[in-house]
């Protein structure tokens, strides 16, 4: 049997690897970044523009799509691909992350999570079986087993108990599967405790998952712990299956994680920052609203080949932002996502050429070109 | 000397004509619709998508660009084309329409209009000379002479005095010109009074304008007066120069005006309606927010070949609108503008084929497919 994941090449100087992930809607070359299509749309982006910039795979949010427009409606309309007009691969999360973010509006039991909709306050129960049902209705290429995303400052005893429950939920998710074509990833939790991470990884990797997601990181634990626990956990996962570091992140975090052996990433940062006027460049971040750009005829990033940098000045982008034009969100999102995809492309090239050790992106923090 | 405007063909059954308008940034085949780029951007539209849908010429608003980012800044940055990334023809209005819309915040004298900025309350004086200076700084292909847009219910004596002042202002605009390449259109006012329209047209057409705009219509006077005064005024204008019916309008109004002999149109309707979820189709208007579209798998308009209709269902478009996604404004604007450009394209084809009498678009009002 041909595997859905192939490691094409391994970097000699790190744990980075070049891979190919085969899904029902096409092949993803890894490492790859997945733009977030929260409500069935990557904010301010036409699918054709995503495709054009080299986007290979999108992430859809189970929680949001379940509440609106509803997974059954999406299924009736032919699934999430047909519904959104994105014909490439889609990964859906389990809904867990959003539900756990609801704080006082949710209650965890062994059965699942009872929560109130942020839209209308209505009550819902998200069980492992329900998470699978929703994702099968959405028809994503990769589903994620339901897990609890644990706060970074949770006490050890809570982390232990929660991680154990996540493992029981994972088993229920596997049992609930009815579609063979849809891949399913298990989620490794365990907080900042290496022994709990190891325990969770051992249990999870013994189950027939098609890949593994690492959760509970990039949730406020700080850069050092993120890199440390991230790298430690990657080392616990099988070489022959894809690894997805959930919610990461900043360009330098992603590149670090590529070196640690991760293959897939997602983050709202490029699109959310874009709408706030914060733009990534090869020389660092840039806040386009600043007065100094009012008459700056240069493109955002002189070394960028995106549509935005090829056609518009910083002065124009600042004007659009200040004037509140929708086009501001469009052009900024287009650039930031292009930038993210270029980082992944350069990672893949660096691994292919055996040069992963020498390529480092500019730090994202506070540098103004 | 070769003229900038050529009538290619006249329709035997109406006053419609097929024309070619040569501008410094390219040729416009008329009749043509000009999307409105109020603040240097057509709302929610990338320039490349406008180009792709057959858009030939944009309208820029002198009032808005003067206040923000400022015409001098735009000039320093290479003019409006370079600034906005739109390399095709641009027509700018005189700023008069917006200033007169300010109501209590403006005061008219012979010298010009003193007004307060809607952005910060600062005081400004818009004179005919200033309107020309701003438009020359913006570097538009076609400038409009400063006029007063008269309320549709103004008393005859006011209309007479105002129209006379508009004629004096027009003369001052011509005198203030310093650029030969930029075309300048004079504006015909005169309200709903045929004798005043005739008087204004006689005076204006005696001056060396490169075309004529007809103003003071589509401002609340009703469909019948719009068509009547519009057709009457068109008949007063020289055959060999372009005619622009300002602010018109609904699809049926435009087609009517094409038959009356107009060549250029502009209106915020397609883009503003798009953002409000009101979409034009070959079978009438459609409000995408309605519950009946929640599970409708059909495209917006089955006979439309735009990117939106080719890839997305009514159900998805409704979802995007209800969810408040920016993509809703993008796809809706793309469709509505495509629809408007198709109307103009069909008008041109109908005239070319001598069939202008038989083609009528669906009424815009209240028909739901």
């Amino acid at each position: 049997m041909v595997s859905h994941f192939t490691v094409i090449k391994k970097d000699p100087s790190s744990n980075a690897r070049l891979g190919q992930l085969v899904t029902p809607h096409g092949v993803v070359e890894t490492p790859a970044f997945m733009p977030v299509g929260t409500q069935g749309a990557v904010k301010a982006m036409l699918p054709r523009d995503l495709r054009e910039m080299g986007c290979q795979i999108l992430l859809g949010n189970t929680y949001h799509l379940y509440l609106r427009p509803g997974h059954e409606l999406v299924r009736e309309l032919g699934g999430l691909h047909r519904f959104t007009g994105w014909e490439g691969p889609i990964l859906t999360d389990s809904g867990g992350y959003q539900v756990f973010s609801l704080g006082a509006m949710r209650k965890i039991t062994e059965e699942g999570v009872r929560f109130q909709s942020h839209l209308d306050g209505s009550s819902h129960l998200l069980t492992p079986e329900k998470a699978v049902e929703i994702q099968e209705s959405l028809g994503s290429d990769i589903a994620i087993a339901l897990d609890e995303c644990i706060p970074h400052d949770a006490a050890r005893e809570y982390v232990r108990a929660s991680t154990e429950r996540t493992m029981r939920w994972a088993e229920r998710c596997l049992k609930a599967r009815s579609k063979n074509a849809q891949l399913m990833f298990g989620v490794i939790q365990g907080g900042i405790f290496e022994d709990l991470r190891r325990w969770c990884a051992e249990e999870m990797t013994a189950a027939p998952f098609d890949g593994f997601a690492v959760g509970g990181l990039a949730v406020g634990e700080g850069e050092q712990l993120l890199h440390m626990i991230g790298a430690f956990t990657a080392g616990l996962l099988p070489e022959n299956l894809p690894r997805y570091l959930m919610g990461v992140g900043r360009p330098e975090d992603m590149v670090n994680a590529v070196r640690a052996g991760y293959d897939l990433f997602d983050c709202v940062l490029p699109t959310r920052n874009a709408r706030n006027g914060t733009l990534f460049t090869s020389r660092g971040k840039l806040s386009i609203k600043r007065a100094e750009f009012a008459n700056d005829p240069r493109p955002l990033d002189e070394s960028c080949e995106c549509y935005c940098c090829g056609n518009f000045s910083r002065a124009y982008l600042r004007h659009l932002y200040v004037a509140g034009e929708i086009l501001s969100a469009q052009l900024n999102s287009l650039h930031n996502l292009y930038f993210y995809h270029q980082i992944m492309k350069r990672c893949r090239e660096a691994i292919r050429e055996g040069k992963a050790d020498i390529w480092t992106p500019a730090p994202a923090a506070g540098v103004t070109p």
Side-chain angles (χ1 to χ4, degrees), chain A residues 18 32-33 49 61 76 93 96 115 157 171 174 198 201 205 211 221 293 295 306 318 321:
Chain A
L18 188 71
F33 176 76
D49 293 338
N61 282 128
E76 277 169 36
D93 62 13
F115 66 95
E157 189 42 38
E171 214 170 320
L174 283 171
R198 181 184 300 277
T205 57
E221 73 283 0
F293 301 126
N295 61 356
C306 82
R318 177 179 188 271
Y321 183 85

Side-chain angles (χ1 to χ4, degrees), chain A residues 81 91 257 291:
Chain A
H81 298 85
L91 177 149

Side-chain angles (χ1 to χ4, degrees), chain A residues 139-167:
Chain A
S140 55
D141 298 272
I142 306 170
I144 304 284
L146 185 65
D147 65 314
E148 179 186 355
C149 181
I150 308 166
H152 70 93
D153 52 0
R156 179 180 168 87
E157 189 42 38
Y158 184 85
V159 176
R160 203 205 55 75
S162 164
T163 299
E164 198 169 9
R165 185 171 50 221
T166 285
M167 299 186 313

Side-chain angles (χ1 to χ4, degrees), chain A residues 118-144:
Chain A
H118 74 287
L119 295 175
D120 62 6
S122 56
S123 179
H124 302 266
L125 179 66
L126 183 65
T127 62
E129 293 76 16
K130 187 78 185 176
V132 173
E133 181 207 323
I134 298 171
Q135 293 181 80
E136 289 193 346
S137 295
L138 296 174
S140 55
D141 298 272
I142 306 170
I144 304 284

